[in-house]
Amino acid sequence: MELHFTNLLIVVLVGFLAPLSLGFVPRLLLPSVVLEIVLGIVIGPSVLGWVHVDDPVAVMSIVGLAFLLFLAGLEIEFDKLRGRVLKVTAIGFALSFGLALILSGVLSGVGVLDHPLFVAIVLSATSLGVVIPVLKDAGEVGSTFGQLVIAGATIADFATVILLSLFFSREASSTTTKLILLGGLFIVALLVGLALAEFEHSRRLREVLRRLQDTTAQIRVRGAFVLMIGLVALATNLGLEVILGAFMAGAILTLIDRDTMLTHPDFRRKLEAAGFGVFIPIFFVTSGVRYDLGALGDVSILVHVPIFLAALFLIRGLPALLYRPLVPRGRVVVSMLMQATSLPFIVASTAIGLQLKVVTPGNAAALIAAGLLSVVVFPAGALTLLKRDPATRARMDSRPPGEIAPAGEAM
């Protein structure tokens, strides 16, 4: 069968134009992922009908999804997951998930949704890749407040990926089987991580890697890609999801590649360039193309959007009240807003849910719409509250014009 690349051309063009357009209005704190999805909806079958998802678009989109979760795994800051911060944020996520189960059960009881466990998992995540840029802009990454928010988002990201893979995999039929497969994947990932850590001790190997890392070989980038695709292939062969294998690959790389000697400081920047520059925008634009806008035309489905948005705020926001003894009172509300920010995981998980038929097209559309609103409204509200603090406002005002960029796309 002859392949055609016209659909892919339009998708990558939209992926290029979205951040470029936002670049002309740097003070507009709108993540480009939002515009990419919206433009994908516009060019897709729901509006203009210019683009359909064919084989080239589908394959590139899947790789983009894998890269998104891979980079999310790379963002895990294991050094901050310790002590009181770990204890408070872990308890916070447990409360979040418990609240999510209760609210989803109530919504299921009144006929809003059919699979409460799936929706509970979807609404328990936080977009770490959106939260971190906001904290950086405010100069709060190193503060106790910033560490709590980052740790809470990290635990939520990791836990929801595991829970989704455990309860909603494509092939495994029982929870016991899924636990066995999940355990097998973890064991293989652990062995791979230990082997890579051992290889890092080889002086000869380190010298070869250093010599090739900035040549056309880009050997470290290639190795990272092998690790990601390898664990994705293993996960899918075990009947688990792409997102789990990719996320674990990123987490492994975070643990074994500390680069304390600064021998390859540009390595992660190169991975981000490959992910955010090529593959991830294709995934988000394609998600927009696949978006069922017509489902929101039904008023009974449209009202689900504010319901899911409110549920997202309650589920992820209320547990931030546990931070009150550790941070100033004004920071608690900011923590609530930032932890309730979620989109990439919602997009990825609803795509899986539609394949498994555990979420209706209408509710999938409503969940994504709620996620879009959360990314637009909550970070902007958090920044507004942070600017009321004189010290934070002074730090932000001291930055050169244009340095505060729209929030990133990663999970």
Side-chain angles (χ1 to χ4, degrees), residues 4-12 43 50-54 57:
H4 297 279
F5 292 89
T6 304
N7 288 313
L8 183 60
L9 170 62
I10 299 175
V11 168
V12 297
I43 64 174
W50 290 353
V51 173
H52 298 273
V53 179
D54 55 12
V57 173

Side-chain angles (χ1 to χ4, degrees), residues 105-232:
V106 171
L107 293 176
S108 176
V110 297
V112 172
L113 50 93
D114 296 326
H115 291 81
L117 178 58
F118 176 81
V119 174
I121 294 172
V122 172
L123 294 177
S124 296
T126 295
S127 290
L128 184 61
V130 176
V131 165
I132 289 178
V134 175
L135 291 172
K136 286 182 177 178
D137 289 343
E140 295 282 358
V141 171
S143 66
T144 301
F145 154 70
Q147 290 180 10
L148 282 167
V149 174
I150 291 173
T154 298
I155 291 174
D157 269 4
F158 190 80
T160 48
V161 170
I162 298 297
L163 288 169
L164 187 68
S165 298
L166 178 61
F167 292 107
F168 298 98
S169 295
R170 292 172 292 107
E171 297 177 12
S173 56
S174 68
T175 302
T176 302
T177 303
K178 294 171 186 175
L179 281 171
I180 294 173
L181 294 176
L182 193 60
L185 180 61
F186 269 104
I187 291 173
V188 172
L190 176 62
L191 294 176
V192 169
L194 292 173
L196 291 175
E198 187 65 28
F199 290 153
E200 281 286 308
H201 293 152
S202 169
R203 181 178 178 181
R204 174 64 175 162
L205 178 60
R206 289 200 305 269
E207 291 175 351
V208 172
L209 290 175
R210 187 179 302 180
R211 187 173 70 251
L212 297 178
Q213 66 187 17
D214 294 318
T215 67
T216 55
Q218 293 293 337
I219 197 66
R220 290 186 184 275
V221 176
R222 297 190 189 197
F225 203 77
V226 169
L227 176 63
M228 180 187 77
I229 297 300
L231 287 181
V232 165

Side-chain angles (χ1 to χ4, degrees), residues 229-361:
I229 297 300
L231 287 181
V232 165
L234 178 61
T236 54
N237 285 335
L238 291 175
L240 301 171
E241 293 301 328
V242 166
I243 62 173
L244 179 61
F247 189 82
M248 290 179 65
I252 288 173
L253 195 57
T254 298
L255 286 171
I256 66 174
D257 185 57
R258 300 302 180 95
D259 193 25
T260 55
M261 302 300 291
L262 297 178
T263 59
H264 46 284
D266 296 328
F267 175 44
R268 299 199 179 194
R269 193 175 305 164
K270 293 175 182 178
L271 292 176
E272 289 179 355
F276 293 126
V278 182
F279 298 104
I280 295 174
I282 295 175
F283 167 68
F284 283 122
V285 176
T286 303
S287 297
V289 172
R290 288 173 166 155
Y291 190 81
D292 188 1
L293 186 62
L296 294 181
D298 187 340
V299 176
S300 63
I301 297 297
L302 187 61
V303 296
H304 292 183
V305 176
I307 291 174
F308 288 143
L309 182 63
L312 186 61
F313 179 76
L314 292 174
I315 290 166
R316 292 299 297 137
L318 285 182
L321 294 173
L322 295 174
Y323 304 165
R324 181 173 292 177
L326 303 177
V327 300
R329 182 178 300 177
R331 292 291 193 271
V332 174
V333 178
V334 177
S335 301
M336 295 172 71
L337 289 170
M338 297 183 75
Q339 288 194 167
T341 302
S342 183
L343 179 60
F345 182 77
I346 292 178
V347 174
S349 57
T350 51
I352 294 170
L354 286 170
Q355 292 177 356
L356 299 177
K357 298 182 180 180
V358 295
V359 63
T360 63

Side-chain angles (χ1 to χ4, degrees), residues 10-24 32 35-36 39:
I10 299 175
V11 168
V12 297
L13 179 61
V14 168
F16 167 73
L17 292 176
L20 181 65
S21 302
L22 292 173
F24 287 102
S32 61
L35 189 55
E36 287 164 12
L39 291 178

